[in-house]
């Protein structure tokens, strides 16, 4: 399990770096999907089977498809790749990388100071456990999230609703 | 062994489909190569392997090659959690049903990326249609399955089959079954929902630019998908491997149980083919409208009523 964990982490880090540095948007998205799948594998190694599967179903399988869908519609060509390539001039990336380097340093210090925990001794969490804690301990959170989703649904419906006045010509009622 | 078996079944389904279609349309179909034309598929495969494998110069090469691999990989991986008989399966995953949904949601990339990588207007339109169609029908597919999960109280496929010992779920979950099957047809983009590759308007849709065995992989992938949806319907709604054992001993029982499972799967595949022979293709907006205005409310209602009944019986 530990080897699988380290391989998956290496893939995740490499793929995420590629997402940032790739100039072709669709290729970058594909790397992002690989990174999400690697993270799902990490969850699986840690015993969170359900989280791993939801990561694949929701992030990799639904949200990223929408991203790919949008980029396909925009039909970005070589111009975008060139413009993206210009973004990699040192003046643009040095500032953010220094800041994130600081954060990385902090994280490394925290890891070295803290007790290292092995991934393999984590217990498997079954779907039933997740459901029980979701609908008992975190019931309020679930309700709030569902309300937020309802608001988003109503908003989406309002935005997508066509005005009676601007009916398309030739449309049969 | 399972992998080889599934690939052989999927390849021979092409022959079965052509013969059955011919039967329903009052013709003979392929009947010349070998007994009953059984070797037609082999002849077709050899022909396909020998054709020129051409990647158009304007295509995105890496993604173009990747796309047909995805559909086969995800469809074949799904079979890892299918129990063919008690204990006969590759891995017994606790959340097996979710694994299947995850694989089917990753399968969307195959058609979407094929359409984009071909860099061709028809292919792109096919890819766009495919991604919208598969994304929306995936929602109803998982929602309609939840009725079964509620009744069985488990996401494990073997447990679901065991829960059907008293009564097959096709009776209490008849609405859920119909919804699941319709969504399954849309997920495998088979006729009447084959709009991503509607040949009358889009040439061949997302695989217009594919030739030789890359096209063959899309073709086989579609039939693996049909086998998968049929096997799933048999497992979830028709009791999977359960059936009379004719008083056989313990050692022989798994073979008979596998036989029952295969029989149920093949009857459902036959139904898939009958739908192709008899149904006209809807317009694209009709397909999406039917999805969001009929399938979604019905699957939610099915879930609600099932939940209420399960709660009341407890």
């Amino acid at each position: 399990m530990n080897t699988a964990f380290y391989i998956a982490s290496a893939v995740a880090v490499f793929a995420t770096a590629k997402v940032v540095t790739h100039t072709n948007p669709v290729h970058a998205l594909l790397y992002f999907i690989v990174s999400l799948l690697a993270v799902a594998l990490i969850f699986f190694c840690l015993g969170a089977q359900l989280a791993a599967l939801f990561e694949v179903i929701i992030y990799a399988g639904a949200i990223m498809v929408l991203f790919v869908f949008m980029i396909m519609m925009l039909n970005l060509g070589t111009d975008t790749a060139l413009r993206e390539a210009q973004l990699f001039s040192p003046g643009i990336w040095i500032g953010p990388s220094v800041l994130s380097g600081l954060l990385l340093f902090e994280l490394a210090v925290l890891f070295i100071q803290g007790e290292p925990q092995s991934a393999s001794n984590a217990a498997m969490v079954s779907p039933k456990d997740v459901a029980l804690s979701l609908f008992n301990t975190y019931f309020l959170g679930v309700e709030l999230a569902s309300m937020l989703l309802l608001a988003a649904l109503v908003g989406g419906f309002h935005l997508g609703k066509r005005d009676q006045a601007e009916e398309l010509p030739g449309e049969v009622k | 062994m399972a992998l080889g078996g599934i690939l052989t079944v999927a390849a021979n389904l092409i022959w079965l489909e052509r013969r059955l279609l011919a039967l329903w349309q009052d013709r003979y179909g392929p009947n010349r190569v070998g007994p009953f034309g059984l070797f037609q598929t082999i002849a077709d495969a050899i022909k396909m392997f020998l054709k020129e494998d051409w990647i158009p110069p304007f295509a995105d090469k890496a993604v173009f090659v990747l796309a047909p691999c995805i559909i086969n990989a995800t469809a074949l991986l799904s079979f890892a959690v299918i129990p063919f008989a008690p204990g006969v399966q590759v891995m017994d995953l606790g959340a097996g049903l979710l694994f299947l949904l995850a694989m089917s949601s990753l399968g969307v990339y195959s058609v979407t990326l094929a359409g984009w990588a071909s860099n061709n207007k028809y292919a792109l339109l096919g890819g766009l249609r495919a991604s919208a169609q598969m994304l929306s029908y995936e929602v109803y597919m998982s929602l309609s399955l939840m009725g079964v999960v509620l009744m069985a109280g488990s996401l494990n496929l073997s447990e679901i089959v065991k829960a059907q010992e008293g009564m097959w779920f096709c009776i209490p979950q008849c609405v859920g079954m119909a919804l699941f099957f319709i969504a399954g047809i849309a997920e495998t983009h088979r006729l009447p929902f084959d709009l991503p590759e509607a040949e009358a308007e889009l040439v061949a849709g997302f695989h217009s630019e594919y030739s030789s065995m890359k096209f063959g992989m899309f073709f086989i992938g579609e039939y693996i998908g049909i086998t998968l949806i049929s096997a799933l319907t048999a497992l979830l709604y028709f009791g999977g491997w359960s059936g009379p054992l004719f008083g056989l001993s313990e050692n022989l029982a798994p073979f008979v149980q596998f036989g029952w499972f295969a029989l149920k799967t093949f009857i459902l595949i036959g139904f898939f083919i009958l739908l192709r022979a008899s149904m006209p293709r809807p317009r694209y907006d009709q397909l999406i409208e039917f999805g969001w205005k009929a399938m979604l409310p019905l699957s939610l209602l099915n879930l609600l009523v099932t939940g209420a009944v399960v709660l009341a019986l407890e």
Side-chain angles (χ1 to χ4, degrees):
Chain A
M1 254 334 185
N2 263 341
T3 330
F5 174 80
Y6 283 119
I7 294 173
S9 329
V11 170
V13 171
F14 176 73
T16 316
K18 275 300 231 185
V19 178
V20 182
T21 56
H22 220 292
T23 50
N24 184 325
V26 172
H27 288 189
L29 276 180
L30 287 181
Y31 273 115
F32 194 25
I33 295 158
V34 172
S35 148
L36 287 171
L37 291 180
V39 173
L41 204 63
I42 291 174
F43 279 141
F44 200 86
C45 291
L46 293 173
Q49 218 179 63
L50 205 65
L53 288 168
F54 279 148
E55 175 101 7
V56 177
I57 295 175
I58 295 167
Y59 284 103
I63 296 179
M64 292 316 290
V65 176
L66 286 178
F67 274 61
V68 174
F69 187 84
M70 278 320 293
I71 285 183
M72 270 167 65
M73 296 253 273
L74 295 175
N75 197 17
L76 304 168
T78 38
D79 304 348
T80 346
L82 285 177
R83 201 152 11 104
E84 284 273 327
Q86 279 169 4
L87 283 178
F88 289 110
S89 55
I92 293 177
W93 60 259
I94 274 187
S97 7
V98 167
L99 290 176
S100 36
L102 270 176
L103 288 178
L104 188 69
F105 175 71
E106 264 186 21
L107 195 69
V109 169
L110 282 177
F111 264 122
I112 291 165
Q113 282 175 348
E115 290 276 299
Q117 278 191 335
S118 172
S120 53
N121 54 22
M124 271 289 181
V125 184
S126 76
K128 208 168 207 161
D129 300 332
V130 177
L132 281 177
S133 66
L134 261 186
F135 289 103
N136 282 322
T137 326
Y138 303 106
F139 185 66
L140 193 67
V142 173
E143 282 299 303
L144 283 175
S146 68
M147 253 183 245
L148 190 67
L149 280 176
L150 182 67
L153 193 69
V154 172
F157 179 74
H158 176 73
L159 288 175
K161 207 176 138 202
R162 202 182 288 151
D163 245 357
Q164 292 291 341
E166 44 178 301
E167 201 89 353
L168 284 182
E171 188 161 311
V172 187
K173 259 274 146 190
Chain B
M1 198 184 78
L3 212 67
I6 289 156
L7 281 175
T8 317
V9 165
N12 281 300
L13 275 185
I14 300 170
W15 169 81
L16 181 75
E17 165 150 38
R18 289 172 70 186
R19 286 293 293 208
L20 279 178
L21 278 180
L23 179 76
W24 284 317
Q25 291 166 354
D26 247 353
R27 350 177 237 116
Y28 283 119
N31 64 349
R32 292 303 160 95
V33 195
F36 308 106
L38 258 173
F39 300 147
Q40 181 69 41
T41 317
I42 301 174
D44 283 347
I46 292 170
K47 183 195 80 174
M48 229 183 282
F49 271 116
L50 293 178
K51 282 206 168 182
E52 187 190 356
D53 194 356
W54 188 65
I55 299 176
F58 44 80
D60 190 317
K61 285 198 182 56
V63 183
F64 191 83
V65 177
L66 183 70
C69 307
I70 296 176
I71 193 167
N72 280 284
T74 54
L76 286 175
L77 265 176
S78 308
F79 276 98
V81 291
I82 298 251
F84 295 99
V88 185
Q89 76 190 106
V90 181
M91 67 175 173
D92 195 12
L93 204 63
L97 203 55
L98 281 180
F99 181 81
L100 281 168
L101 289 176
M103 284 305 121
S104 98
S105 62
L106 285 183
V108 185
Y109 284 115
S110 178
V111 274
T112 315
L113 292 175
W116 177 79
S118 300
N119 203 359
N120 164 322
K121 290 282 185 294
Y122 290 118
L124 186 70
L125 278 174
L128 281 179
R129 281 186 179 186
S131 43
Q133 168 179 338
M134 288 171 83
L135 258 185
S136 27
Y137 276 77
E138 218 174 84
V139 176
Y140 331 131
M141 191 162 161
S142 27
L143 274 176
S144 58
L145 284 181
M146 287 311 132
V148 170
V149 176
L150 267 178
M151 292 192 67
S154 172
L155 284 163
N156 186 314
L157 287 164
S158 309
E159 296 288 322
I160 291 176
V161 172
K162 276 177 204 143
Q164 297 180 57
E165 263 165 8
M167 193 200 319
W168 288 355
F169 284 156
C170 60
I171 299 162
Q173 280 294 317
C174 53
V175 181
M177 182 183 71
L179 292 171
F180 173 75
F181 204 70
I182 294 172
I185 299 166
E187 276 291 298
T188 49
H189 37 88
R190 283 279 302 178
L191 268 148
F193 296 151
D194 70 334
L195 287 135
E197 44 192 302
E199 64 270 14
E201 32 193 304
L202 288 183
V203 192
F206 60 89
H207 57 57
S208 299
E209 297 288 350
Y210 282 84
S211 58
S212 183
M213 206 48 211
K214 287 203 195 65
F215 164 74
M217 278 170 84
F218 277 120
F219 207 47
I220 287 282
E222 185 177 319
Y223 284 90
I224 299 176
I226 296 171
T227 318
L228 180 68
I229 296 292
S230 308
L232 258 183
T233 317
L235 274 178
L236 297 173
Y237 297 101
F238 291 99
W241 62 70
S242 54
L245 286 178
F246 311 113
L248 276 170
S249 65
E250 286 272 309
N251 296 333
L252 284 171
F255 292 101
V256 180
Q257 284 168 322
F258 175 71
W260 280 117
F261 177 60
L263 180 72
K264 287 169 188 171
T265 308
F266 272 102
I267 290 173
L268 286 162
I269 291 172
F271 190 64
F272 253 102
I273 299 171
L274 179 61
L275 277 178
R276 171 173 175 181
S278 53
M279 298 281 282
R281 183 188 292 142
R283 249 179 17 230
Y284 192 66
D285 60 320
Q286 290 171 333
L287 171 82
I288 295 293
E289 199 170 280
F290 173 70
W292 289 107
K293 289 189 179 162
M295 297 276 289
L296 183 66
L298 271 177
S299 48
L300 282 174
L301 205 68
N302 180 46
L303 182 61
L304 194 74
V305 172
T306 312
V309 170
V310 168
L311 203 65
L313 288 181
E314 256 176 21

